[in-house]
Amino acid sequence: MRITEIREHTIPVSRYQDPAVASGGLTTSLVAVTTDVMREGKPVIGYGYASIGRFAQGGLIRERFAPRLLAAGDRDLDDENGVTLDPFRAWRLMMTGEKPGGHGERCVAVGALDMAIWDAAAKMADLPLYRFLADKLGREVGVAPRVAVYAGGGYPYPHDDLARLSDEIRRAVDLGFTYVKIKIGSDALDQDLRRIDAAARGLASASHLAVDAMNRFDLATGLNVARALKGYALHWFEDICDPLDFATQAAIASAYGGPIAAGEALFSQAEANLLANYGGLTPGRDVLVFDPVHCYGVPGYLRIVETMTAAGWSRDAFWPHGGHLFSLHLCAALGLGGAELTPFAFAPFAGLADGMRVAAGQIDVPQSPGIGFETVPAIWQALQALH
């Protein structure tokens, strides 16, 4: 079997449900991978996108990685039985000639294509992705697994911030979420504490609230914030400083003493190893929020899981960033702790698939073949623009 066509399209994505609120010009790449395998008279097409937060990757996809997939021979992408597409073989072809290091943006381009390839392969097998992946890895999964989730969002509003944040928390709780994550670090500490107080009032307690500093703090500022946050007993304190400044992170983690979340802006097995050895994190307490798409897709993410579990971390510590259906499938297949969902931000990828409901902080995984993008009208409409 062969990949016959790969299309990429760049779209804007916003941190806010209201697109009129300025959001920094974020974009992402949509991709469609068309194969020569036919189902019901149509070619099997896999879809993916470049997650959120790192901008679109059209140049790298079109000029570097898509040509390698399109040049594959008739059997180069087949699985060992010659009956379906093998995403691991496709990944190795994409990485042909790539040197170690330099993870910056190429990891996102590879991850977006990897997502689409897994979607196509699972569709060929007529299985939801979590089942297809678990079978390929020899793992047991339930018939209809449920995944723990939290609502990501809570970005500062330019006007009426506390009132609008409180409303966002209320709506998340109304949808069935029991844990929520908000952003801090873009304003003075006093305002951040007011945001935390406002959000916590809408939840069972502050222990159901996580805060994300988006890697903004230096050592002095981070220590000051850590001291101020200590008494809240927050669910976790995420992305404190520059993601590669492990010394600063370790110092702040030591001073803070509560759960720390890290890994969203780390993209490789080598960086995960540095985090494990020098990041000052504690297995059993802290949280790992690597984004599978930004980590070169499934093969790269599996290497990170292997590295961290070898360093004493349980799979329960993994809570993938990104808020997408792809992460739900990986959580179900790999037995991870849970996943982020974005109920309001980053349209068209906001919200839930048709028929999906959050209950007591958990959600079902889509049962349609592949990832299930077709079950979310807004996503499916956006993906059709690729054709």
Side-chain angles (χ1 to χ4, degrees), residues 47 88 309:
Y47 295 96
F88 290 108
T309 54

Side-chain angles (χ1 to χ4, degrees), residues 25 38 78 88 111 163 179 182-183 193 227 230 236 254 266 322:
M38 305 297 290
D78 293 7
F88 290 108
Y179 288 85
I182 67 171
K183 303 299 182 286
L193 297 180
R227 286 190 288 267
K230 256 190 167 185
W236 69 62
S254 177
L266 300 176

